[in-house]
Amino acid sequence: MKDGVQAWGVGRNFSSREEDVVALVDVSLSLTWGQFVVVQGPSGCGKSTLLNLLGLLDRPSVGRLNIAGVPVHELSEGGRARLRRAEIGYLFQDAGLIERMRAIDNVEAPLAYRGVPRGQRRATAEAALRELGLSHRLRALTDTLSGGERQRVGLARILAQRPRLIICDEPTASLDEANSRLVAARLMQLAEEGALVVCASHDPIVIELAQRRIELSHGRLKTIADGPP
């Protein structure tokens, strides 16, 4: 099995009529499957930019990036999309749910893109939602869900997919302590089961679980350390 994620000299620039913005500069790192990695730094330091590159939601301006042994900087858009579907799951602060769709349909959607038969994906989605205490909300529309319920639906989508790379951007920022602990603990369990979880967070509940910490400052890699602070 090819190991995790490697980046060599990765950077990202954004240009507009008004200015050129250097969001990320010369980041090199190596992350392995089975790690819970927390990305830290002040607002505007490049955390979300790094997550977008690692999650194949954006392309680096310079540098090389491998995921599961695949040189993704060389892939076409179609190749990147196939790798995203096969290997990557996402959990964002707003859960990233499709509005006006039922909870169970949100969980099923990524499985449909993978070509999972309807009966199998329905059973998988129901099991993931029940595991997170949402058996009574399977058919609830997303706009009727509380913030904690929305985030648990987003987490259920990951449980149903079982991706090897999980990208999280402030996944507990809008949650109370109980839901924050539930989400953080389940992400940690997924790492223990072999996934690579990369999570940008200011939340002490998440940070205390870190097996590795990446700290960014002004778009540059400041430190990489093992364990919580």
Side-chain angles (χ1 to χ4, degrees):
M1 179 187 297
K2 297 293 184 180
D3 207 22
V5 172
Q6 295 82 37
W8 298 273
V10 165
R12 184 68 173 98
N13 304 331
F14 297 94
S15 298
S16 68
R17 294 180 185 177
E18 292 78 22
E19 61 179 338
D20 292 333
V21 175
V22 179
L24 209 63
V25 181
D26 194 26
V27 171
S28 296
L29 51 80
S30 181
L31 307 173
T32 60
W33 306 126
Q35 288 184 325
F36 190 96
V37 180
V38 173
V39 182
Q40 297 176 274
S43 179
C45 72
K47 298 188 301 294
S48 293
T49 300
L50 177 60
L51 293 185
N52 287 340
L53 295 178
L54 298 182
L56 303 188
L57 299 175
D58 194 11
R59 284 183 177 272
S61 303
V62 296
R64 296 180 295 131
L65 178 64
N66 277 18
I67 296 177
V70 178
V72 297
H73 52 283
E74 299 176 358
L75 292 179
S76 66
E77 285 304 316
R80 289 164 61 86
R82 286 189 291 273
L83 188 59
R84 281 196 300 268
R85 287 195 296 268
E87 301 283 8
I88 305 175
Y90 309 91
L91 187 62
F92 301 115
Q93 182 175 344
D94 65 356
L97 303 183
I98 303 170
E99 299 299 333
R100 304 303 302 169
M101 182 181 280
R102 299 181 304 173
I104 193 165
D105 296 325
N106 264 280
V107 177
E108 280 191 51
L111 302 178
Y113 290 131
R114 289 185 176 186
V116 177
R118 176 175 172 77
Q120 181 182 341
R121 65 178 187 256
R122 176 55 54 98
T124 301
E126 286 185 358
L129 288 164
R130 288 196 174 99
E131 182 178 340
L132 294 172
L134 291 171
S135 57
H136 64 300
R137 302 293 271 160
L138 296 180
R139 288 163 180 79
L141 293 174
T142 52
D143 58 358
T144 70
L145 300 174
S146 69
E149 287 173 337
R150 289 174 67 94
Q151 201 66 325
R152 278 186 283 162
V153 172
L155 182 56
R157 191 164 51 191
I158 288 176
L159 296 182
Q161 288 179 267
R162 295 288 172 169
R164 284 202 291 174
L165 174 59
I166 300 170
I167 302 294
C168 308
D169 198 352
E170 300 289 356
T172 64
S174 60
L175 303 183
D176 59 24
E177 182 177 352
N179 276 302
S180 293
R181 291 195 179 280
L182 183 153
V183 169
R186 198 62 185 88
L187 289 171
M188 183 64 194
Q189 186 176 348
L190 289 167
E192 291 171 346
E193 293 170 358
L196 169 56
V197 180
V198 183
C199 186
S201 181
H202 293 94
D203 188 344
I205 291 172
V206 175
I207 294 169
E208 71 183 7
L209 298 177
Q211 295 168 313
R212 298 196 80 189
R213 287 178 294 112
I214 297 171
E215 186 175 359
L216 298 175
S217 178
H218 301 291
R220 294 182 179 272
L221 184 61
K222 185 176 179 182
T223 59
I224 299 181
D226 291 333

